[in-house]
Each structure stands twice: as structure tokens, then as C-alpha cells.
Amino acid sequence: MPTPSQLFGPAPTTREGWAGALLALAAPATRTAAAGPGRMPVHASMSDPQAVWFELVARPLWGLAAHAAGGLSGADRQWEEVRHALTRAVDPGHPWYVGRPADMDQRLVESAAVGYALAVARHHLWDPLTERQRQQLADWLSTAASATPWDNNWCFFPVLAAVGLRSVGVPVDETRVAAHLDRIEDFALSDGWYADGPGTPERPGSRDHYVPFGFHFYGLLLASLKAVDEERGRRYRQRAAEFAGQFEHWFAADGAALPFGRSLGYRFAQGAFWSALAAADQPAVGWSTARTLAQRNLAWWWQRPVLAEDGSLTVGYAYPNTGVVEQYLAGGSPYWGTKVFASLAATEDHPFWTAPSAPDLPPGISSQPAAAMILARDAAGDVVALAGQNAPAWNPRGGTAKYAKFAYSTLAAFNVPTGEPSLEQGGFDSALALSDDGERWRTRSAGESRIDGETLVVRWQPWPDVTVETRLRHTDGGHLREHRITTGRRLHTAEGAFSVPKTGLGATPHNVTERPGLARATADTAVSEIVCLAADAARREGVVVLPLPGSHLLHPRTALPTLRGVLDPGEHVLRCRVSLTRR
């Protein structure tokens, strides 16, 4: 599969270049959407076919609307195709009609993009329509604005739908809008973080990329449009500024963002927060830093094979792979990534576009209690996060792997399960897997965590008679793990380091070391090692596991250094050092 650089040229570095990049990415989507639902690429998704097609219709609007808001030209064909598809999608008498938005329905997600586009680009999306088409669009969007969203970041969607309706003179239920905005306040945490859904103070909802490309993105747009009261807009801006100082530590010097949580298939959206700061003219970490982080992340993606031959975005992460994304992603879903182009709404003389590049952040530690993380940046600029969150209760595909591993890396990313909970199919990198039969394995999916100074402490219970307290701490060149295990049953243990690309032409990888107390795998890009500390070396054997192909976010084939051992009933302490070194 081609990379954007192969089809579109080098990664853009100017506002004009960003505008061209957006149109190049959006063109295949709007062209396919305009051909109707029957031409929609087929992908396994939990959504119905009409909703899947409507994603392709609406999601490019996040970028196209910002392009129009910034006074840029050259997108007439894309807008014509969007109007062609959208007017038919909301026409109850047309075969392409997508149906009325229902409570907690996927169509509510897309209504937000339509609402934002109406608010900032009505000359493209509303003014050219006939009176009948306007009425149908207003009726459909009003239904969306009145529907009940899921109780998380979705609370913004009916609000944005209402903002679009207001902008074209259609009355909305302001009481419902206010209730949604009030509910969003309930999700606010410290340091500018939000929880993506209800929970408890001790165990809030997930804290992942939905905080920057969801909560803050929408809040900043609403503040910039003055679509909320002054006090609420001030809170949105203040929280975004606070959050920026934490979120900058999620990005490596090479532009890679920390892969963590769900919806990583939205790819470029990882940098959308920095662009939204520009769209809202909200200073935070400094415009040089905001621009550099967005620019480098987009450039990193520009080198990944994420496109089909026609230039359309595929489903996956760093390469086409539906197995590593959630059950709700389909062919149009990745176009949420066009949110990264929100900064096109800022004029060409905005400091986001004129500021010089910022220097790399220095090596160091960032403790982020609201996210239950301690992040470390090494001398090469790569980032590792020690993590203490739980897997979501609603069970997205690979949820445990995406939230509850011990560590996440911008350089190594991670594996997800591919089938049975065996060592090869379980994807147990950065985890301690336990088994009472040597065949079926369990890892941490939930538990209690706290930050104690520079140590992250996680307590978890894989069986009623097995309790584990894990202590994680960064050290020079890696991190330390200590597990205090109390077990009432005999346990097999398998503790994984970070996965690296599998080298060699045969079935057996090259450049591996396996011996008592140590396992190492060397690839072209990195060296991954796990080594026992103290007396543990005599109890655990070093092996290199080969996870099933297609289980990793970055690499189709991987090698995973692992320590294996057996514990009798009783109390035990396992200690090891895990390192990942860029080559």
C-alpha cells in the first residue's frame, strides 16, 4: 500500500501545503461518497450500511469546513460532491436516505460534522441548496439535536448539531443544549483532563486520545464560535491550556504520538488538538511548540502505508489492518483524521503558521495522575508511558491491550489479541500473563492504581485466590517492574517486553538471545530486552515469542522477548528490567 508521500509528495510544511494535502486526502472520499452507498467499501462494522456510508459523506467536513472558514479556495469539486451525497442522504424519499437519527445512534456522530460545517461554511453547504433540500437537512439535523447521545464525549454531538441549526436560523431546544453542556462538566478532571464517560473519583472513565481530539477539540471550536456562554467558553480555553502542558509529553521527537486507547484508526487526529488551538486562537504551550507537534505528527503519518492505490484512507493503524481497530470502524471512519486540518481556519498570518520550529523537549519524566500515567522521554526523544488505567467495561476490540498494559511506547507501539488466549495469539507485550494450565493466559484488565512518588503501583486480581501488586518505575534506559504475587494455585508466568519487527527470511527470527533470566530481540529499528533481577534469573527462562502476524499496530510481523516461569502456591516476588533502545 502506498504512503501519502508516495502519492501526494512530501509532507506539507506551509499553510498552502496543508490545504493541498487536505484536498488530496478528501478527494477520494467525497468522490466515492457521491457515487452512493452501493459504492461504499465493505468493512466489518457494527453499524448499519447506511450509517457506514454516511461516515464517508460527513467526516471529510471536519477538514473541508476549516478550509472554507480560513477563506481558502480550490475545494469546489469536493463541496459539490458533498452536497450531492448529503442532500440525498437526508431525503426520506430518496433511495440513499440514511434514516432518522435515533438515540445513541452512529448518525449522531456525523451530525456534529454537519453542524460545524453549517456554522462556518454555510456558503458551501446551505446557500446553494433548494428550499426543499434546506428543509430536509434542517429536519434531519433537528432530529439529531434532539436525540440522546451515549453518556461520554458524545454529549458534544447534539450541541454541535444545534450550533449548525442556529447558524441558519432554525430554532433549537436550548434547554437540551444546556443539559448536554452541563453533563460534560461532570467529566472534567484535574490538569485539564476529562474522563470519557461516568465512573468514580477513584476509577473514572477512560482517559485517552478522546480527551484532545474529542473533548478539547469540540470545546475549543464552541468557544471560538461563541456558541456557548462566556464563562463556559473561558473554562474550555483554560482547561485546554492546562492540558497542553501534559499532552506535549505524548509526542516523540520523530513526530510519533503515544499509541494508547481506542480509535487509534483515526490516525492524523492525534495532532488535531494542536490545530484546534490555532482555530480558536488559544495560546497554550507556545505557537512554535503547537505547530511543531502538529507538523511532525502529520509528517510521521505521511511516511506510513495507510492509503489504497486510489489515495483513499484504509482501515488500520500504521498499515491496513482491520484486526487492530474497534468493531465500530468502517471505510469512512478514518476521515475523522481530517480534524488535524482545523488550523486552516486560522489566517495565514496567524503565529501558528509563522512561528519558527520549536526545539525538541529535553529528556525527563512527566507524572500525569489524571491519566494514571508516568511518562519518560529518553535521549533519542522516544516516549514510554507507564500506565495504570483499566480496560473499558463495554469491551471494545482489544480493550485490555489498548488500556491495561504496563507500558506504552511511541517507538514500539503494541500488540492486540488475535484469537485464543495463547502466548502467540494473546499479544502479551508489556504485560505479565498468568495461566493455571499453561495454555490459556490472563493479564491485568482492571484493578486499582496510584502514583507513589516516581512509582506507579497497580493492584489486580486475575483469580479470586490470586492477588498481584505491580510496581513500575522508570530508570535510565528502561523501566523496572516488581510483582508481589500471592497465589492459591500453581501458576505459569510469561512476562513480555516490547515487541520489535521480526527480522530474517525464515520462520525463526534472526538476532535473538534466549537464556535463563534474559531475552533479547534485535531489529533494524530497535533492540528490546527483558532481564531478571536478583534471584529471579534462576526461576525464569528467556524466550522470544512470535505473536501472530497482523497483531501489531506498526509491524505485520513481530518478535517479543519474554520471561517464562512457574510459581507454586504461596507468596512470590518477580523483578525485571525492560529496555527498548533505538538503533
Tab-separated table of all heavy atoms in Angstrom, residues 3-26:
chain	number	residue	atom	x	y	z
A	3	THR	N	2.200	5.203	0.653
A	3	THR	CA	2.187	6.219	1.690
A	3	THR	C	1.666	7.522	1.091
A	3	THR	O	1.692	7.713	-0.129
A	3	THR	CB	3.596	6.453	2.237
A	3	THR	OG1	4.401	7.030	1.188
A	3	THR	CG2	4.241	5.147	2.705
A	4	PRO	N	1.195	8.452	1.921
A	4	PRO	CA	0.816	9.757	1.373
A	4	PRO	C	1.957	10.441	0.625
A	4	PRO	O	1.722	11.109	-0.387
A	4	PRO	CB	0.406	10.542	2.620
A	4	PRO	CG	-0.113	9.502	3.557
A	4	PRO	CD	0.798	8.316	3.332
A	5	SER	N	3.182	10.261	1.099
A	5	SER	CA	4.306	10.905	0.407
A	5	SER	C	4.496	10.329	-0.991
A	5	SER	O	4.896	11.045	-1.917
A	5	SER	CB	5.592	10.756	1.229
A	5	SER	OG	5.973	9.398	1.337
A	6	GLN	N	4.209	9.049	-1.180
A	6	GLN	CA	4.364	8.448	-2.500
A	6	GLN	C	3.308	8.930	-3.484
A	6	GLN	O	3.588	9.092	-4.676
A	6	GLN	CB	4.317	6.926	-2.377
A	6	GLN	CG	5.541	6.326	-1.701
A	6	GLN	CD	5.386	4.851	-1.392
A	6	GLN	OE1	4.266	4.374	-1.159
A	6	GLN	NE2	6.483	4.114	-1.375
A	7	LEU	N	2.090	9.161	-2.996
A	7	LEU	CA	1.014	9.599	-3.886
A	7	LEU	C	0.888	11.110	-3.977
A	7	LEU	O	0.530	11.649	-5.034
A	7	LEU	CB	-0.317	9.008	-3.434
A	7	LEU	CG	-0.509	7.493	-3.580
A	7	LEU	CD1	-1.968	7.119	-3.301
A	7	LEU	CD2	-0.104	7.011	-4.970
A	8	PHE	N	1.174	11.809	-2.874
A	8	PHE	CA	0.899	13.248	-2.824
A	8	PHE	C	2.154	14.109	-2.734
A	8	PHE	O	2.057	15.334	-2.737
A	8	PHE	CB	0.004	13.574	-1.621
A	8	PHE	CG	-1.259	12.761	-1.552
A	8	PHE	CD1	-1.768	12.350	-0.327
A	8	PHE	CD2	-1.950	12.405	-2.695
A	8	PHE	CE1	-2.934	11.608	-0.236
A	8	PHE	CE2	-3.123	11.659	-2.624
A	8	PHE	CZ	-3.608	11.254	-1.402
A	9	GLY	N	3.308	13.488	-2.607
A	9	GLY	CA	4.533	14.261	-2.453
A	9	GLY	C	4.925	14.416	-0.999
A	9	GLY	O	4.281	13.870	-0.102
A	10	PRO	N	5.993	15.156	-0.731
A	10	PRO	CA	6.494	15.297	0.642
A	10	PRO	C	5.447	15.873	1.586
A	10	PRO	O	4.502	16.547	1.166
A	10	PRO	CB	7.684	16.269	0.486
A	10	PRO	CG	8.075	16.179	-0.949
A	10	PRO	CD	6.809	15.896	-1.702
A	11	ALA	N	5.623	15.614	2.854
A	11	ALA	CA	4.704	16.145	3.854
A	11	ALA	C	4.655	17.658	3.769
A	11	ALA	O	5.693	18.316	3.636
A	11	ALA	CB	5.145	15.713	5.247
A	12	PRO	N	3.473	18.258	3.836
A	12	PRO	CA	3.353	19.710	3.690
A	12	PRO	C	3.973	20.438	4.879
A	12	PRO	O	3.953	19.962	6.006
A	12	PRO	CB	1.840	19.928	3.642
A	12	PRO	CG	1.269	18.770	4.412
A	12	PRO	CD	2.163	17.613	4.109
A	13	THR	N	4.493	21.617	4.605
A	13	THR	CA	5.140	22.407	5.657
A	13	THR	C	4.604	23.829	5.741
A	13	THR	O	5.004	24.583	6.626
A	13	THR	CB	6.657	22.468	5.421
A	13	THR	OG1	6.913	23.028	4.131
A	13	THR	CG2	7.287	21.075	5.497
A	14	THR	N	3.715	24.222	4.837
A	14	THR	CA	3.143	25.563	4.840
A	14	THR	C	1.626	25.464	4.898
A	14	THR	O	1.046	24.385	4.685
A	14	THR	CB	3.534	26.333	3.567
A	14	THR	OG1	2.947	25.665	2.426
A	14	THR	CG2	5.048	26.381	3.401
A	15	ARG	N	0.971	26.573	5.172
A	15	ARG	CA	-0.492	26.570	5.189
A	15	ARG	C	-1.040	26.166	3.828
A	15	ARG	O	-1.991	25.378	3.745
A	15	ARG	CB	-1.011	27.949	5.587
A	15	ARG	CG	-2.543	28.047	5.714
A	15	ARG	CD	-2.928	29.386	6.295
A	15	ARG	NE	-4.364	29.529	6.509
A	15	ARG	CZ	-5.190	30.171	5.673
A	15	ARG	NH1	-4.711	30.722	4.563
A	15	ARG	NH2	-6.475	30.272	5.961
A	16	GLU	N	-0.452	26.692	2.768
A	16	GLU	CA	-0.883	26.309	1.426
A	16	GLU	C	-0.679	24.810	1.195
A	16	GLU	O	-1.522	24.133	0.603
A	16	GLU	CB	-0.111	27.115	0.384
A	16	GLU	CG	-0.511	26.809	-1.048
A	16	GLU	CD	0.282	27.615	-2.058
A	16	GLU	OE1	1.154	28.407	-1.642
A	16	GLU	OE2	0.036	27.446	-3.271
A	17	GLY	N	0.445	24.291	1.686
A	17	GLY	CA	0.702	22.868	1.540
A	17	GLY	C	-0.278	22.021	2.328
A	17	GLY	O	-0.736	20.973	1.864
A	18	TRP	N	-0.615	22.465	3.538
A	18	TRP	CA	-1.603	21.747	4.338
A	18	TRP	C	-2.962	21.741	3.630
A	18	TRP	O	-3.657	20.729	3.641
A	18	TRP	CB	-1.732	22.395	5.718
A	18	TRP	CG	-0.715	21.926	6.706
A	18	TRP	CD1	0.629	21.850	6.528
A	18	TRP	CD2	-0.979	21.461	8.029
A	18	TRP	NE1	1.229	21.372	7.672
A	18	TRP	CE2	0.263	21.128	8.603
A	18	TRP	CE3	-2.130	21.308	8.786
A	18	TRP	CZ2	0.382	20.645	9.906
A	18	TRP	CZ3	-2.026	20.827	10.091
A	18	TRP	CH2	-0.772	20.495	10.637
A	19	ALA	N	-3.336	22.860	3.034
A	19	ALA	CA	-4.608	22.921	2.320
A	19	ALA	C	-4.613	21.940	1.156
A	19	ALA	O	-5.602	21.223	0.921
A	19	ALA	CB	-4.858	24.342	1.816
A	20	GLY	N	-3.504	21.877	0.417
A	20	GLY	CA	-3.419	20.921	-0.676
A	20	GLY	C	-3.462	19.485	-0.202
A	20	GLY	O	-4.064	18.616	-0.838
A	21	ALA	N	-2.819	19.219	0.937
A	21	ALA	CA	-2.818	17.865	1.492
A	21	ALA	C	-4.227	17.450	1.894
A	21	ALA	O	-4.650	16.303	1.667
A	21	ALA	CB	-1.881	17.797	2.690
A	22	LEU	N	-4.975	18.370	2.509
A	22	LEU	CA	-6.357	18.062	2.882
A	22	LEU	C	-7.171	17.684	1.660
A	22	LEU	O	-7.886	16.674	1.662
A	22	LEU	CB	-6.988	19.260	3.581
A	22	LEU	CG	-8.522	19.208	3.676
A	22	LEU	CD1	-8.965	18.074	4.588
A	22	LEU	CD2	-9.089	20.542	4.113
A	23	LEU	N	-7.086	18.485	0.598
A	23	LEU	CA	-7.895	18.225	-0.586
A	23	LEU	C	-7.497	16.911	-1.243
A	23	LEU	O	-8.354	16.175	-1.765
A	23	LEU	CB	-7.781	19.381	-1.571
A	23	LEU	CG	-8.271	20.749	-1.062
A	23	LEU	CD1	-8.270	21.770	-2.176
A	23	LEU	CD2	-9.664	20.632	-0.445
A	24	ALA	N	-6.202	16.595	-1.211
A	24	ALA	CA	-5.754	15.319	-1.776
A	24	ALA	C	-6.323	14.149	-0.992
A	24	ALA	O	-6.740	13.132	-1.574
A	24	ALA	CB	-4.218	15.269	-1.783
A	25	LEU	N	-6.357	14.270	0.328
A	25	LEU	CA	-6.906	13.200	1.158
A	25	LEU	C	-8.429	13.107	1.026
A	25	LEU	O	-9.000	12.010	1.034
A	25	LEU	CB	-6.547	13.440	2.620
A	25	LEU	CG	-5.101	13.148	3.042
A	25	LEU	CD1	-4.836	13.711	4.424
A	25	LEU	CD2	-4.832	11.646	3.017
A	26	ALA	N	-9.078	14.264	0.932
A	26	ALA	CA	-10.541	14.272	0.910
A	26	ALA	C	-11.118	13.868	-0.433
A	26	ALA	O	-12.233	13.333	-0.496
A	26	ALA	CB	-11.052	15.660	1.288
